Amino acid sequence: MAERGLEPSPAAVAALPPEVRAQLAELELELSEGDITQKGYEKKRSKLLSPYSPQTQETDSTGQKDRNQTPAPTPAQTSAPSKYHRSRSGGARDERYRSDIHTEAVQAALAKHKEQKMALPMPTKRRSTFVQSPADACTPPENVSAPPDVTATTSSSSSLRPANIDLPPSGIVKGMHKGSNRSSLMDTADGVPVSSRVSTKIQQLLSTLKRPKRPPLKEFFVDDSEEIVEVPRPDPNQPKPEGRQMMPVKGEPLGVICNWPPALESALQRWGSTQAKCPCLTGLDMSGKPVYTLTYGKLWSRSLKLAYTLLNKLGTKNEPVLKPGDRVALVYPNNDPVMFMVAFYGCLLAEVIPVPIEVPLTRKDAGGQQIGFLLGSCGIALALTSEICLKGLPKTQNGEIVQFKGWPRLKWVVTDSKYLSKPPKDWQPHISPAGTEPAYIEYKTSKEGSVMGVTVSRLAMLSHCQALSQACNYSEGEAVVNVLDFKKDAGLWHGMFANVMNKMHTISVPYSVMKTCPLSWVQRVHAHKAKVALVKCRDLHWAMMAHRDQRDVSLSSLRMLIVTDGANPWSVSSCDAFLSLFQSHGLKPEAICPCATSAEAMTVAIRRPGIPGAPLPGRAILSMNGLSYGVIRVNTEDKNSALTVQDVGHVMPGGMMCIVKPDGPPQLCKTDEIGEICVSSRTGGMTYFGLAGVTKNTFEVIPVASSGSPVGDVPFIRSGLLGFVGPGSLVFVVGKMDGLLMVSGRRHNADDIVATGLAVESIKTVYRGRIAVFSVSVFYDERIVVVAEQRPDASEEDSFQWMSRVLQAIDSIHQVGVYCLALVPANTLPKTPLGGIHISQTKQLFLEGSLHPCNILMCPHTCVTNLPKPRQKQPGVGPASVMVGNLVAGKRIAQAAGRDLGQIEENDLVRKHQFLAEILQWRAQATPDHVLFMLLNAKGTTVCTASCLQLHKRAERIASVLGDKGHLNAGDNVVLLYPPGIELIAAFYGCLYAGCVPVTVRPPHAQNLTATLPTVRMIVDVSKAACILTTQTLMRLLKSREAAAAVDVKTWPTIIDTDDLPRKRLPQLYKPPTPEMLAYLDFSVSTTGMLTGVKMSHSAVNALCRAIKLQCELYSSRQIAICLDPYCGLGFALWCLCSVYSGHQSVLIPPLELENNLFLWLATVNQYKIRDTFCSYSVMELCTKGLGNQVEVLKTRGINLSCIRTCVVVAEERPRITLQQSFSKLFKDIGLSPRAVSTTFGSRVNVAICLQGTSGPDPTTVYVDLKSLRHDRVRLVERGAPQSLLLSESGKILPGVKVVIVNPETKGPVGDSHLGEIWVNSPHTASGYYTIYDSETLQADHFNTRLSFGDAAQTLWARTGYLGFVRRTELTAATGERHDALYVVGALDETLELRGLRYHPIDIETSVSRVHRSIAECAVFTWTNLLVVVVELCGSEQEALDLVPLVTNVVLEEHYLIVGVVVVVDPGVIPINSRGEKQRMHLRDSFLADQLDPIYVAYNM
């Protein structure tokens, strides 16, 4: 705003030569239209002014100096006109100019903020996303040797995410010493490079947030679900109204005129027959030249023809289409007042009710559907229009007019004269004296966007004309220039009704002419010596911009310049500036007459034309703070937060006015209180057509006193305007009900906020000053949203700068925070018919996520001050509690157990053997040809089978190779690197035969070695493997050049390929000395990125297989299908161990094959009529998403799933109940029983704790209260309760397994209404972590730990690391007792501690995923107490920024958390491990190391 220094005073401008003034005006226009940059404008302007400005030199230097600091306004600048000039807001803007205060106020507010410079982090954008973003907004990785992008996978098809990649762990191995071997990782927060750009932004954000904005929080916490919201305490210093209760104010009486016509139609008849030659209405062409003048005679004769045609010529004699009282739509363009006037009066004469509406431009106009609703509810079947307009309407292929969205079917009638029939001589219209029957319906759009029809009676129409004629002192023959829309409001009342009543001549200047020739209305006033002009502020504004053409115009004829939006906050400065510029052209100061109108109350008040020389009415300078509390206070303290308003004159003749409270019952306000203006008179609307309920609240209001008793019995009409009656009964309007924003109990006016936004150097950023302000309801309060159109040439820097300054200015001046500020590309906001912004439609788009901003700033941290208090932890039940049996303070201790192994009778030969290797040998002798394994390929054909004997022989050969080639000793560790298949199983038993300890590892992905090989290398190193068994292909891969780029290939241990083995037998098979010896190691990467290996002893293996056998009733004649990864956990046990133990046949389906043939798994189940099948969530998701629309295809292929008794999902997480339900529902049609699908639960310390099995009750589900869950409490609620979470039991507890729920901090048992860690005791628990350094403490803590109290038996428990709870159900367990169900809620490591509460990421992610159709996947994590939400966008990139407010809203609404950062990324970026679980910590590391290549990163302020 540095050019302010060069601003000459208005007097100086007036003194300039006319050609210089003309050039200046042209420049102004160019700048506002966006044809020239601010810089170019300044340059050209100073060049023009330099010869005439003696002080330019020094000002220029200060201008240079101050370019970075906003100068304090000089006294010269504070004069209204010059300021008005400077603060021009650019082109086509409806009703929107700034109020007097804002420019200086904004300057001061920003200067104040400059001292405490806000270091707001700028959002990060991907360069490709938005064409307009400059290059520097991209964030390339800082260092070229950045770790590889783990997201680039081979699978090119977008639907498949790079599932199954176990990413290299973040260098953290459970139990590994910190100092040991992390040289490859940087030792900052979890291996994140310090110099990362993201973290600097987050640092910036954190320091911004450190400045506390919200009131201090209370010290204590009440654990009460009802008390969730912090209720803002009323400010003790807030101003309160002190005046007495107001009395209704009366207008002067309506004069009695002897020859006043009994109806408006009579006036037309009178002038039409007696003064036929007098001009009535002149229309202009596009260049602003008069093109046609309608005389009173022509108006009368053509209206008669139309009335006759409507009543007699549209249908048959017996079945007329129209009857008196029917409604018809009038569809005429804004540049055709003549056709409209004829149609309107034709309808009145025919006694049908006209409903003027806008011409629909497209099938889906903004707000068009609501107009359709109005037409439908008015029962309109006929639309009148002109021939030209009809030709311009959108047509279908075969030339018919399109069916507009939401509109009833209409018949279109053309009203051009040539199509009308002349009435017979004896036909006369029926003109009765005006009564309360409807005359016409004016449409109005409410704040929510619904369109209502205000019905106006013939009497009201007539009386209103009379009142206007008296107030404006109209006389016959006066010329009136009308720039307003002639179809509604003041344009209709003055330009179409009052002119006919008083035989005046209206010159109608259409909006389209104003766009091309802004001065046209001033020229019309001059040419016609018009006495009255009807304008809005924007017309004054445009005329001033174009004042170079005004050399010889005179406005001296004007006695009234009626400013119809004189009620706006910026009307004062418009009027002042216009006066100062045009006073030299004869404009009289007393001619400016602001008025206030509304669709319901019609003209509320109007300033009467003044007496020349009389003093002009005063202004009210009100305190903004007072206004926000609804109280009138003259502003004294801070001139920056003052609002200057001008009066809108007195109450209408014959009317009465009162001010009532805007909400609640219509209680009369006190004299110093702002309220809604209500008007009582015969001149207002009657009803909202067809809406009796709303009508009563608006048109039949009886005001009440503070006691509640009614005041008088005269009904009033609510005008929708907010204001007060000042001294001398002058009416002041300070805003509209529609623009009212109620935030935390204070009222703000949308228009005032727009004005502030415009006053912040908007010219570089905002396109044509188009700003919309509205409020949305989020978390129990209204939140302010500001949306502006961004100029196409605005730079990213400028926009961000402007946005942060607007936030500061609004905060300073209005003392209210903006929740969201969005910039959208130019010309994309929905428009109203006259080019303004369609607010309700904009709000609708914002809420449904289809506004498509190109820049967005969210500031929830400053706005949301009503969050509940953070929780202070309360001490749990301690050892001091009295233990009575199983009760802790009146609650059952939360524990449960499977069947007791000791009581189960088994006559099984297997029980003789202690070791799995012995069992295989025994089977090879007893049932050599019994097939244990079948491996299928993608086509569903069996590629390989293994009978007991074949497996035994193959294992022997592998064992002998280990001895010969590998020179291994008993107890050495061997890594098995095989694709899923029988080869892997054989290698496993080969190791057992040789006495080695097998470690199964997922082979690296050939196309993605950089991401997958380091994990393999790490397991090889951590397990200290002496040898690697693998296939030839993989062996070549391990030694390849590509592998060398990812890891050190020279230091692999011995690699043996097992493809061609010599037929050699072992001299003898190894037999372990005790069952406690190690059988195998199970390595897995957890979701938190921890690599853990656990030791499984022979006795644990035996016990595990036995428990599964008993639970699933497995024996030799059974067949099961497995579609799982065989590398760790229960998946490995089912794939490699169980068949050998139980003798059943396993059909093996490698999950990867499913990607090539989605039908494979289900087809196999159907083909072999399999009763029990096991799968993973990834497999279930693939089938649900991929086969969702293929159920018919499955039917035609003859696939039937009714054979399935159990379909078990193997998982180590909370059951994904929605996925299971979708799967069950989808395949119900092909026979899948809804009871079949269930899930397992295992963890690192014990791979199988729960498994549904074949007998026992069905899995149960419960709804728990999310709010209580965050406090580690379990409160059951009914289905459909707000804030409830559906949880499912994780299968039945296996035989021999006991679980107890424990407080993870105190290690004491908890009651069953508490959430706690699940501890397990069972014979198949692993015997410890396998680590480089045996970290004994961790070992003891996780595997052999005791309860801190309450357990006399001193049982040794293992900690699963998962939170859950136990509930006793009504069902009966196999033992005959009531069944205890175990519910898993989530991993302890994954939980987020925020505001003292415990959150589970999946709950937040579920909320976020629901919020927009384009969110494919979502993951959350925290970083330094900030919640970061990463969403994958599957739609177009222009939707990226739509997600930011939606994500912020939903997390706030449902979880009471403020999102710190929203990151929008491409599909497939969120890493997922082989079990289908999200790797949130990897994601976090990649985000902080700036490796995600996000589409957009929004930092919420």
Side-chain angles (χ1 to χ4, degrees):
M1 290 195 139
E3 82 278 9
R4 294 288 154 80
L6 315 183
E7 200 64 66
S9 67
V13 171
L16 293 173
E19 60 275 12
V20 175
R21 289 209 305 260
Q23 284 168 298
L24 274 180
E26 194 143 11
L27 265 183
E28 300 256 287
L29 194 62
E30 279 181 17
L31 178 62
S32 73
E33 294 288 338
D35 302 333
I36 183 174
T37 62
Q38 179 76 16
K39 213 163 182 178
Y41 165 79
E42 287 166 26
K43 213 166 169 182
K44 288 188 171 172
R45 186 183 164 94
S46 50
K47 199 169 169 189
L48 272 175
L49 293 177
S50 53
Y52 310 98
S53 161
Q55 81 282 28
T56 309
Q57 268 48 56
E58 58 275 41
T59 330
D60 204 40
S61 58
T62 59
Q64 288 301 325
K65 188 172 75 225
D66 286 343
R67 198 133 289 180
N68 304 323
Q69 306 129 15
T70 312
T74 57
Q77 293 170 319
T78 44
S79 67
S82 69
K83 179 179 87 296
Y84 186 75
H85 242 32
R86 285 193 316 270
S87 50
R88 292 188 0 237
S89 73
R93 179 139 190 91
D94 196 18
E95 304 198 306
R96 293 274 155 106
Y97 296 106
R98 60 201 71 172
S99 74
D100 210 17
I101 59 151
H102 281 101
T103 310
E104 276 94 25
V106 165
Q107 301 278 316
L110 294 178
K112 195 166 77 196
H113 272 279
K114 277 271 167 58
E115 287 125 47
Q116 38 181 38
K117 186 79 181 97
M118 298 275 273
L120 302 184
M122 228 178 110
T124 312
K125 255 187 209 179
R126 184 189 291 170
R127 187 178 299 168
S128 66
T129 310
F130 303 98
V131 191
Q132 12 176 322
S133 65
D136 58 17
C138 166
T139 57
E142 308 283 284
N143 46 355
V144 190
S145 62
D149 178 9
V150 291
T151 59
T153 53
T154 54
S155 125
S156 57
S157 94
S158 60
S159 65
L160 303 174
R161 53 195 312 102
N164 325 333
I165 294 182
D166 275 329
L167 289 169
S170 334
I172 303 163
V173 180
K174 274 241 172 96
M176 175 179 179
H177 273 339
K178 269 284 195 291
S180 58
N181 181 13
R182 290 191 53 198
S183 53
S184 58
L185 288 145
M186 281 158 276
D187 252 346
T188 58
D190 297 342
V192 174
V194 200
S195 65
S196 146
R197 167 175 313 186
V198 179
S199 26
T200 52
K201 289 228 166 136
I202 293 184
Q203 257 348 108
Q204 232 179 332
L205 178 57
L206 283 174
S207 48
T208 312
L209 297 180
K210 273 195 191 113
R211 290 191 279 278
K213 246 335 252 216
R214 59 174 66 103
L217 293 150
K218 311 290 174 293
E219 289 309 300
F220 57 90
F221 171 75
V222 190
D223 187 355
D224 176 33
S225 58
E226 286 6 281
E227 253 320 330
I228 52 169
V229 184
E230 180 77 52
V231 182
R233 300 271 167 277
D235 175 2
N237 306 325
Q238 79 177 53
K240 297 200 169 44
E242 294 152 7
R244 53 175 176 75
Q245 181 180 302
M246 75 158 304
M247 297 301 294
V249 181
K250 281 196 162 81
E252 75 251 35
L254 199 52
V256 181
I257 303 171
C258 50
N259 65 349
W260 194 253
L264 187 57
E265 300 91 324
S266 318
L268 172 61
Q269 184 175 23
R270 174 177 158 195
W271 305 128
S273 35
T274 64
Q275 307 274 341
K277 293 275 194 297
C278 285
C280 170
L281 175 68
T282 298
L284 306 184
D285 65 10
M286 290 307 285
S287 62
K289 302 279 180 292
V291 65
Y292 179 81
T293 295
L294 181 72
T295 60
Y296 277 96
K298 271 275 183 279
L299 174 60
W300 171 241
S301 62
R302 284 169 64 179
S303 306
L304 268 183
K305 275 168 83 173
L306 178 60
Y308 176 73
T309 307
L310 290 178
L311 292 176
N312 300 295
K313 293 294 180 190
L314 293 181
T316 59
K317 195 161 181 99
N318 302 334
E319 284 198 13
V321 172
L322 275 182
K323 302 182 294 303
D326 286 350
R327 273 84 45 209
V328 294
L330 266 50
V331 184
Y332 292 90
N334 284 320
N335 54 5
D336 198 351
V338 173
M339 291 295 290
F340 173 81
M341 192 168 196
V342 170
F344 195 92
Y345 279 100
C347 289
L348 292 184
L349 290 175
E351 295 182 284
V352 298
I353 300 168
V355 183
I357 59 169
E358 307 304 333
V359 179
L361 301 173
T362 62
R363 207 180 139 323
K364 294 182 179 167
D365 275 1
Q369 199 167 351
Q370 282 78 11
I371 290 277
F373 175 73
L374 172 73
L375 297 178
S377 60
C378 288
I380 292 177
L382 209 62
L384 308 187
T385 185
S386 65
E387 192 169 22
I388 294 177
C389 181
L390 191 71
K391 282 184 180 150
L393 290 176
K395 310 276 193 301
T396 58
Q397 242 76 48
N398 51 13
E400 289 173 15
I401 290 167
V402 299
Q403 181 61 30
F404 297 108
K405 196 168 177 224
W407 283 35
R409 291 212 88 78
L410 291 180
K411 189 173 172 207
W412 294 82
V413 176
V414 175
T415 60
D416 294 55
S417 277
K418 55 185 176 193
Y419 300 111
L420 304 179
S421 315
K422 207 169 172 183
K425 289 272 182 285
D426 58 350
W427 188 83
Q428 276 301 321
H430 174 246
I431 301 177
S432 58
T436 55
E437 64 281 354
Y440 70 97
I441 294 174
E442 177 170 322
Y443 83 85
K444 113 174 248 238
T445 307
S446 75
K447 185 176 184 175
E448 288 70 47
S450 54
V451 171
M452 297 172 324
V454 176
T455 312
V456 180
S457 69
R458 290 179 66 228
L459 184 60
M461 180 166 74
L462 183 73
S463 315
H464 189 218
C465 274
Q466 190 176 353
L468 281 180
S469 305
Q470 182 173 329
C472 302
N473 203 359
Y474 282 143
S475 54
E476 292 182 21
E478 283 190 318
V480 179
V481 172
N482 177 24
V483 197
L484 309 176
D485 180 0
F486 51 74
K487 295 195 289 298
K488 50 191 292 202
D489 211 82
L492 179 67
W493 308 329
H494 292 264
M496 297 267 158
F497 298 167
N499 78 324
V500 169
M501 185 57 82
N502 297 293
K503 201 192 67 148
M504 300 182 339
H505 176 196
T506 301
I507 297 94
S508 190
V509 182
Y511 177 69
S512 48
V513 171
M514 288 292 295
K515 277 166 102 168
T516 50
C517 172
L519 207 63
S520 53
W521 74 267
V522 177
Q523 291 160 347
R524 289 299 102 213
V525 170
H526 172 74
H528 293 272
K529 302 266 182 294
K531 290 277 198 288
V532 180
L534 289 155
V535 295
K536 283 191 165 179
C537 294
R538 58 141 207 254
D539 308 316
L540 302 180
H541 184 74
W542 286 11
M544 289 186 294
M545 279 167 49
H547 64 273
R548 54 160 190 251
D549 313 327
Q550 89 226 346
R551 271 167 289 230
D552 46 1
V553 295
S554 160
L555 297 182
S556 56
S557 62
L558 274 184
R559 61 182 187 80
M560 280 191 92
L561 176 60
I562 301 177
V563 184
T564 51
D565 53 353
N568 261 338
W570 36 68
S571 61
V572 187
S573 47
S574 304
C575 295
D576 289 353
F578 186 79
L579 179 63
S580 75
L581 201 54
F582 282 92
Q583 209 162 353
S584 53
H585 295 267
L587 177 64
K588 307 187 223 9
E590 65 273 8
I592 292 183
C593 298
C595 76
T597 64
S598 86
E600 292 85 356
M602 298 166 81
T603 307
V604 173
I606 185 164
R607 196 188 287 174
R608 317 293 193 257
I611 298 110
L616 292 173
R619 301 279 164 80
I621 299 175
L622 306 176
S623 142
M624 283 275 210
N625 185 44
L627 284 178
S628 74
Y629 290 108
V631 177
I632 302 157
R633 288 289 175 270
V634 175
N635 183 59
T636 46
E637 67 292 344
D638 177 9
K639 80 173 193 11
N640 291 327
S641 55
L643 182 70
T644 306
V645 283
Q646 61 184 354
D647 67 279
V648 286
H650 292 93
V651 185
M652 293 292 284
M656 199 154 67
M657 176 185 289
C658 66
I659 313 286
V660 302
K661 298 208 183 250
D663 30 30
Q667 189 184 327
L668 284 174
C669 287
K670 298 193 170 148
T671 48
D672 61 344
E673 202 173 357
I674 303 271
E676 183 173 8
I677 298 176
C678 295
V679 178
S680 156
S681 71
R682 298 181 305 167
T683 64
M686 284 200 307
T687 58
Y688 289 127
F689 189 90
L691 302 170
V694 203
T695 292
K696 199 155 184 54
N697 293 341
T698 306
F699 294 93
E700 301 162 28
V701 176
I702 304 279
V704 297
S706 50
S707 59
S709 54
V711 177
D713 52 1
V714 186
F716 281 77
I717 301 172
R718 287 182 183 269
S719 68
L721 299 174
L722 291 167
F724 61 96
V725 179
S729 298
L730 283 174
V731 181
F732 289 87
V733 176
V734 294
K736 298 192 188 73
M737 287 291 285
D738 281 357
L740 191 60
L741 313 171
M742 276 297 277
V743 181
S744 307
R746 287 174 60 210
R747 303 182 200 155
H748 303 276
N749 192 329
D751 284 345
D752 292 339
I753 292 177
V754 170
T756 302
L758 285 171
V760 181
E761 292 189 336
S762 54
I763 223 130
K764 282 186 196 157
T765 309
V766 181
Y767 177 69
R768 300 198 155 186
R770 290 172 63 82
I771 300 179
V773 172
F774 51 86
S775 66
V776 294
S777 180
V778 183
F779 194 63
Y780 308 101
D781 200 357
E782 292 297 308
R783 315 281 174 197
I784 293 180
V785 179
V786 179
V787 182
E789 288 189 1
Q790 177 178 319
R791 285 177 51 143
D793 56 352
S795 75
E796 211 66 5
E797 275 294 330
D798 280 349
S799 303
F800 184 72
Q801 196 57 40
W802 180 78
M803 291 166 89
S804 31
R805 298 181 64 172
V806 166
L807 295 177
Q808 294 161 9
I810 293 174
D811 187 71
S812 253
I813 293 172
H814 304 274
Q815 274 104 47
V816 67
V818 174
Y819 178 67
C820 174
L821 174 48
L823 290 179
V824 299
N827 271 324
T828 54
L829 288 180
K831 291 189 171 75
T832 59
L834 290 181
I837 298 171
H838 198 296
I839 301 284
S840 59
Q841 195 94 2
T842 303
K843 175 173 171 174
Q844 185 61 38
L845 292 175
F846 174 79
L847 288 174
E848 67 193 27
S850 38
L851 196 58
H852 308 329
C854 49
N855 256 315
I856 200 158
L857 264 188
M858 301 279 305
C859 310
H861 295 281
T862 45
C863 294
V864 182
T865 52
N866 59 340
L867 281 175
K869 318 170 188 76
R871 170 184 177 209
Q872 307 289 316
K873 284 273 173 64
Q874 292 162 334
V877 174
S881 310
V882 184
M883 302 288 298
V884 188
N886 263 0
L887 293 177
V888 182
K891 297 268 190 336
R892 245 184 94 249
I893 275 203
Q895 58 188 28
R899 286 182 291 171
D900 190 345
L901 279 174
Q903 296 168 354
I904 300 173
E905 286 300 312
E906 283 179 289
N907 50 358
D908 197 339
L909 297 166
V910 172
R911 298 288 295 129
K912 296 200 309 261
H913 305 288
Q914 284 184 305
F915 303 107
L916 211 48
E918 291 179 348
I919 296 172
L920 179 56
Q921 291 159 45
W922 168 71
R923 286 197 186 282
Q925 284 160 357
T927 52
D929 301 328
H930 174 60
V931 177
L932 287 177
F933 298 103
M934 286 171 63
L935 178 71
L936 305 185
N937 67 4
K939 295 199 177 81
T941 40
T942 309
V943 280
C944 178
T945 61
S947 67
C948 302
L949 186 60
Q950 286 168 328
L951 185 62
H952 168 65
K953 289 237 158 103
R954 181 89 187 147
E956 280 192 319
R957 287 190 205 163
I958 289 174
S960 69
V961 163
L962 283 172
D964 298 353
K965 276 195 187 170
H967 311 299
L968 300 190
N969 307 316
D972 280 348
N973 294 347
V974 176
V975 163
L976 312 183
L977 208 58
Y978 292 94
I982 291 175
E983 196 59 20
L984 172 72
I985 304 170
F988 177 82
Y989 287 100
C991 288
L992 295 190
Y993 281 5
C996 299
V997 178
V999 183
T1000 47
V1001 178
R1002 168 191 309 281
H1005 202 297
Q1007 273 76 30
N1008 199 3
L1009 281 178
T1010 42
T1012 53
L1013 196 57
T1015 312
V1016 176
R1017 179 79 227 197
M1018 196 163 225
I1019 297 177
V1020 168
D1021 292 348
V1022 172
S1023 65
K1024 299 196 291 241
C1027 157
I1028 298 175
L1029 288 181
T1030 185
T1031 61
Q1032 274 178 5
T1033 333
L1034 282 168
M1035 180 167 164
R1036 280 199 294 276
L1037 187 63
L1038 289 182
K1039 297 183 169 175
S1040 67
R1041 193 187 296 139
E1042 292 77 16
V1047 297
D1048 180 2
V1049 295
K1050 295 197 174 69
T1051 54
W1052 288 119
T1054 318
I1055 302 178
I1056 302 175
D1057 84 77
T1058 54
D1059 287 1
D1060 311 308
L1061 292 174
R1063 293 175 179 272
K1064 245 183 101 175
R1065 285 192 55 182
L1066 271 183
Q1068 92 252 17
L1069 301 183
Y1070 175 82
K1071 182 174 178 186
T1074 73
E1076 269 53 60
M1077 292 278 289
L1078 208 50
Y1080 71 93
L1081 294 180
D1082 182 330
F1083 271 92
S1084 157
V1085 179
S1086 78
T1087 50
T1088 50
M1090 288 277 197
L1091 172 68
T1092 40
V1094 293
K1095 302 188 282 200
M1096 288 293 283
S1097 67
H1098 287 281
S1099 64
V1101 169
N1102 230 354
L1104 174 65
C1105 291
R1106 182 175 174 215
I1108 294 172
K1109 175 187 172 171
L1110 293 170
Q1111 193 82 332
C1112 299
E1113 299 177 8
L1114 300 173
Y1115 32 85
S1116 309
S1117 56
R1118 295 286 305 286
Q1119 203 179 20
I1120 65 170
I1122 303 174
C1123 190
L1124 279 172
D1125 273 324
Y1127 299 108
C1128 61
L1130 186 53
F1132 165 76
L1134 288 164
W1135 188 283
C1136 292
L1137 312 177
C1138 291
S1139 274
V1140 171
Y1141 184 90
S1142 309
H1144 60 272
Q1145 188 183 58
S1146 296
V1147 180
L1148 307 174
I1149 307 166
L1152 268 172
E1153 302 290 351
L1154 227 65
E1155 297 194 359
N1156 306 323
N1157 172 11
L1158 287 172
F1159 298 98
L1160 176 62
W1161 174 43
L1162 300 180
T1164 306
V1165 167
N1166 172 60
Q1167 182 187 343
Y1168 294 99
K1169 292 287 168 266
I1170 282 173
R1171 294 186 65 191
D1172 301 287
T1173 177
F1174 295 85
C1175 71
S1176 65
Y1177 277 127
S1178 322
V1179 167
M1180 191 170 263
E1181 194 161 26
L1182 263 177
C1183 292
T1184 311
K1185 284 187 175 162
L1187 300 175
N1189 46 9
Q1190 310 258 340
V1191 177
E1192 289 309 311
V1193 183
L1194 289 165
K1195 278 186 185 163
T1196 51
R1197 289 192 178 193
I1199 293 181
N1200 186 314
L1201 302 181
S1202 53
C1203 54
I1204 297 185
R1205 178 174 58 173
T1206 60
C1207 167
V1208 181
V1209 189
V1210 172
E1212 296 188 7
E1213 57 179 305
R1214 176 200 300 180
R1216 298 191 199 172
I1217 200 157
T1218 1
L1219 178 57
Q1220 290 175 25
Q1221 286 174 342
S1222 318
F1223 181 79
S1224 302
K1225 275 194 192 121
L1226 254 181
F1227 301 115
K1228 184 179 81 204
D1229 291 356
I1230 51 169
L1232 180 65
S1233 150
R1235 302 172 49 181
V1237 182
S1238 65
T1239 152
T1240 69
F1241 170 59
S1243 70
R1244 290 284 62 212
V1245 297
N1246 187 320
V1247 297
I1249 297 168
C1250 300
L1251 171 61
Q1252 186 54 36
T1254 45
S1255 60
D1258 285 345
T1260 53
T1261 53
V1262 290
Y1263 286 88
V1264 296
D1265 178 57
L1266 261 177
K1267 297 191 289 286
S1268 307
L1269 211 53
R1270 294 177 200 139
H1271 295 275
D1272 293 340
R1273 301 274 193 290
V1274 178
R1275 194 175 122 232
L1276 298 193
V1277 290
E1278 290 304 309
R1279 175 183 182 171
Q1283 294 274 329
S1284 60
L1285 170 68
L1286 175 59
L1287 291 174
S1288 159
E1289 184 185 359
S1290 296
K1292 299 291 165 285
I1293 297 176
L1294 282 168
V1297 176
K1298 293 199 284 240
V1299 295
V1300 64
I1301 307 295
V1302 179
N1303 178 326
E1305 274 97 37
T1306 64
K1307 299 193 182 172
V1310 296
D1312 59 6
S1313 60
H1314 283 62
L1315 184 69
E1317 188 180 6
I1318 302 169
W1319 286 17
V1320 59
N1321 166 282
S1322 109
H1324 61 254
T1325 300
S1327 43
Y1329 287 130
Y1330 184 88
T1331 50
I1332 303 178
Y1333 305 94
D1334 261 353
S1335 166
E1336 290 308 322
T1337 50
L1338 203 65
Q1339 205 82 314
D1341 184 42
H1342 282 212
F1343 288 89
N1344 305 310
T1345 189
R1346 293 183 168 87
L1347 291 174
S1348 57
F1349 63 92
D1351 182 13
Q1354 291 288 303
T1355 318
L1356 284 179
W1357 299 92
R1359 303 179 58 169
T1360 61
Y1362 282 83
L1363 293 171
F1365 60 93
V1366 167
R1367 272 286 151 157
R1368 176 148 277 189
T1369 65
E1370 298 303 313
L1371 306 168
T1372 312
T1375 54
E1377 291 179 0
R1378 276 173 63 193
H1379 163 67
D1380 291 317
L1382 173 66
Y1383 296 93
V1384 178
V1385 178
L1388 189 56
D1389 283 355
E1390 293 264 85
T1391 56
L1392 314 173
E1393 285 257 342
L1394 291 162
R1395 314 190 75 253
L1397 302 172
R1398 195 193 298 281
Y1399 287 88
H1400 297 270
I1402 184 72
D1403 296 327
I1404 300 176
E1405 290 158 1
T1406 308
S1407 300
V1408 169
S1409 299
R1410 275 199 319 261
V1411 87
H1412 195 280
R1413 61 182 180 286
S1414 297
I1415 296 180
E1417 185 56 272
C1418 155
V1420 302
F1421 52 83
T1422 51
W1423 195 73
T1424 54
N1425 283 340
L1426 280 183
L1427 179 65
V1428 181
V1429 179
V1430 180
V1431 288
E1432 291 183 354
L1433 172 73
C1434 59
S1436 71
E1437 286 196 353
Q1438 63 168 9
E1439 291 182 305
L1441 279 77
D1442 284 316
L1443 306 181
V1444 179
L1446 296 183
V1447 166
T1448 310
N1449 293 358
V1450 77
V1451 176
L1452 187 53
E1453 286 272 359
E1454 296 185 8
H1455 303 279
Y1456 314 153
L1457 289 176
I1458 291 178
V1459 177
V1461 185
V1462 180
V1463 187
V1464 184
V1465 294
D1466 296 309
V1469 168
I1470 295 173
I1472 282 187
N1473 69 10
S1474 50
R1475 291 191 296 278
E1477 298 162 337
K1478 295 172 196 166
Q1479 307 264 142
R1480 298 182 184 91
M1481 291 307 116
H1482 276 300
L1483 181 68
R1484 176 179 129 158
D1485 293 347
S1486 315
F1487 168 67
L1488 294 171
D1490 216 0
Q1491 293 158 5
L1492 290 183
D1493 183 28
I1495 298 170
Y1496 193 82
V1497 183
Y1499 301 93
N1500 286 349
M1501 303 302 165

